[in-house]
Amino acid sequence: MRRTPSRRLFTAALLVASVLAPMTAIPGTAVHAAGADRHGGGPYDGNRHCVDPHDVGRHGFDRHDKDECPPKGLGPELTARLDKAIEDVRQKADIPGVIVGLWMPGKGNYVRATGVADTATGRPMTTDPFMRIGSETKTFTVTALLKLVDDGRIRLDDPISKYIHGVPGGKRITLRHLAEMRSGLYPYSADPDFVHDLLSDPSRSFTPREVLAYGFKHKNTFKPGKQFQYSNSNLVLLGLVIEKVSGHRLVDFIDEEVLRPADLRHTLFPLDAEFPEPHPRGYTNQTLSGEVEDSTDWNPSWGWAAGAMISNLHDLRRWAKIVATGTLLSPQTQKERLKTLPTGFPGTSYGLGIFNSDGWIGHNGSIPGYESVTVYLPSKKATLVVLLNTDISYEGKEPSSALARAITEIVTPANVYDRPVPPR
């Protein structure tokens, strides 16, 4: 992989320029980490081959995954175009390994793994590993928050000061402002001291209060509601609200109220640097030297409610539709969630812990060594999941965005994820 003397800070610009960077903290308890379910993959054997549905029990795959074995693919011509487009981006962006899942009802499915999971050994990437999903954690945290809204235990327009003391300007910042990234709170992950402290000891555990303190040193950047600014501080605060109101640790509440109802058996909120097998090695240049390092075992606690979670391709396929259609929420609350507002990036708007990119609804994630995109296109009932084991930017943008754009330009030209701004 390429080396670079420069490194970007852990700021998370939205999509287009690079959608979300990592986030999270507090060592919690592992969610959905029991038995063989944590190590199961899906209806693929890791070599692009679909397992016979009759063998589901024998192979230990989830019953709800049996319909993922496509009766047909997308056809040889379209499949060849996707293969070429994905490989072109992978080679140009110097991405070690890529996993892509595309499900288009009525047309067919496309599930591929290409490249390597380990650059040292050459171990090939497969379709079944656990992956760090970074900012996609936000969709789980906000879903948990909205469950409390549905239960009448909180209101979106409550000020954060009602629940958490010491937040700069907290009397004027609402839970809605936090969820839609319009609070004006300085992002702790952009603070130089935080970046130095994290990169000096990537194995360190941070608590939510510790990471928030880095951001609270700075003045708020604008008045609440005035504009969009992606900030991990927002989601860490919402995680603390969930804990205070529910009386449970965030990891436990997400487990009981989100993961279990959604039947996501391979998704978890890790304890420190916990990372179930199998998983690929991850590579980043977000290092003090700017050199590329293996970040597989870095502690993601600093991202906590904003970006610490782990999942796999087939759980994310299931989650994409659930979060975009509001299966776990009341229709009114889901309607509030999908009231997206401008971000400053053409074609991309942001709601409550969710974005709309030219019709594709969902979220992406980036954490040192890993990136992901999980989105759903309601007009086509299509789902796209992209996973890769690097976060090193390509032409100034997230490599996951480049992949998702290349794929959607082929399969849904009327709805292109992170559609490039037309030249003037």
Side-chain angles (χ1 to χ4, degrees):
M1 296 185 66
R2 63 181 174 280
R3 296 171 179 250
T4 173
S6 63
R7 60 168 172 77
R8 54 193 173 85
L9 294 178
F10 289 83
T11 52
L14 180 36
L15 201 62
V16 186
S18 87
V19 178
L20 335 156
M23 54 258 43
T24 154
I26 195 173
T29 230
V31 170
H32 277 255
D37 276 343
R38 287 182 66 191
H39 304 281
Y44 295 86
D45 64 4
N47 294 304
R48 301 184 181 180
H49 300 128
C50 198
V51 175
D52 189 316
H54 297 294
D55 290 337
V56 168
R58 180 169 53 187
H59 288 274
F61 300 134
D62 289 342
R63 199 171 303 152
H64 70 64
D65 282 338
K66 64 182 182 295
D67 65 340
E68 294 185 10
C69 294
K72 61 182 179 64
L74 291 173
E77 182 179 350
L78 190 54
T79 296
R81 288 180 63 195
L82 287 170
D83 285 346
K84 183 179 185 303
I86 291 166
E87 190 60 16
D88 283 350
V89 173
R90 192 182 75 81
Q91 294 287 346
K92 290 176 182 176
D94 202 11
I95 303 168
V98 173
I99 303 169
V100 173
L102 175 66
W103 294 268
M104 303 186 71
K107 291 189 175 181
N109 304 337
Y110 176 96
V111 177
R112 286 287 190 274
T114 182
V116 298
D118 187 328
T119 59
T121 66
R123 173 167 57 97
M125 183 69 85
T126 63
T127 59
D128 64 348
F130 288 90
M131 300 286 279
R132 299 196 188 279
I133 60 172
S135 288
E136 288 197 40
T137 302
K138 292 177 171 67
T139 61
F140 295 92
T141 299
V142 173
T143 299
L145 182 85
L146 295 178
K147 293 275 280 188
L148 292 174
V149 171
D150 273 343
D151 290 343
R153 302 175 72 180
I154 61 173
R155 295 182 307 141
L156 286 171
D157 295 318
D158 288 342
I160 185 62
S161 60
K162 180 177 179 179
Y163 305 99
I164 309 297
H165 299 300
V167 179
K171 292 183 179 180
R172 297 181 299 278
I173 297 172
T174 66
L175 304 185
R176 186 189 300 273
H177 289 141
L178 295 168
E180 64 189 10
M181 299 295 179
R182 291 176 175 268
S183 70
L185 290 171
Y186 187 88
Y188 68 81
S189 50
D191 176 73
D193 291 334
F194 166 77
V195 174
H196 178 271
D197 292 348
L198 174 62
L199 298 184
S200 296
D201 181 12
S203 65
R204 170 182 171 179
S205 281
F206 289 86
T207 69
R209 292 286 188 173
E210 285 174 340
V211 294
L212 287 173
Y214 289 100
F216 289 175
K217 296 186 304 181
H218 302 265
K219 292 182 179 180
N220 292 3
T221 54
F222 52 83
K223 292 182 179 180
K226 292 298 182 182
Q227 63 188 72
F228 174 92
Q229 181 187 36
Y230 195 83
S231 173
N232 289 327
S233 302
N234 296 331
L235 268 289
V236 171
L237 282 168
L238 292 180
L240 291 175
V241 170
I242 292 168
E243 290 195 328
K244 183 166 186 176
V245 173
S246 71
H248 299 285
R249 292 186 303 176
L250 178 65
V251 293
D252 297 327
F253 190 79
I254 286 178
D255 182 18
E256 292 297 327
E257 297 296 328
V258 181
L259 301 185
R260 291 183 185 275
D263 199 17
L264 302 182
R265 305 181 187 183
H266 307 98
T267 301
L268 61 140
F269 207 127
L271 175 66
D272 293 336
E274 175 191 12
F275 202 167
E277 294 284 358
H279 61 254
R281 311 303 296 180
Y283 304 93
T284 188
N285 65 348
Q286 293 200 72
T287 60
L288 288 178
S289 67
E291 298 294 304
V292 175
E293 294 183 10
D294 184 324
S295 58
T296 308
D297 299 317
W298 287 14
N299 189 336
S301 65
W302 61 274
W304 196 48
M309 290 181 70
I310 291 168
S311 191
N312 73 357
L313 173 67
H314 301 291
D315 265 17
L316 291 175
R317 179 246 178 141
R318 186 173 178 81
W319 180 240
K321 183 176 181 179
I322 289 172
V323 74
T325 60
T327 302
L328 301 182
L329 304 173
S330 70
Q332 180 56 39
T333 298
Q334 180 67 4
K335 184 178 180 181
E336 291 295 310
R337 179 173 212 165
L338 295 182
K339 287 181 179 178
T340 60
L341 298 171
T343 62
F345 299 106
T348 299
S349 55
Y350 202 88
L352 302 178
I354 199 167
F355 64 64
N356 183 319
S357 180
D358 202 16
W360 288 94
I361 297 172
H363 219 284
N364 65 341
S366 179
I367 196 164
Y370 301 89
E371 285 196 351
S372 60
V373 174
T374 298
V375 286
Y376 181 78
L377 183 63
S379 63
K380 304 289 185 183
K381 296 184 179 179
T383 299
L384 173 64
V385 179
V386 177
L387 300 163
L388 51 154
N389 58 341
T390 185
D391 69 313
I392 299 175
S393 60
Y394 166 59
E395 295 183 345
K397 294 187 178 183
E398 302 292 314
S400 56
S401 291
L403 282 164
R405 183 189 314 126
I407 293 165
T408 54
E409 283 176 339
I410 293 172
V411 297
T412 55
N415 302 94
V416 176
Y417 179 93
D418 190 17
R419 187 186 293 273
V421 179
R424 294 178 181 237

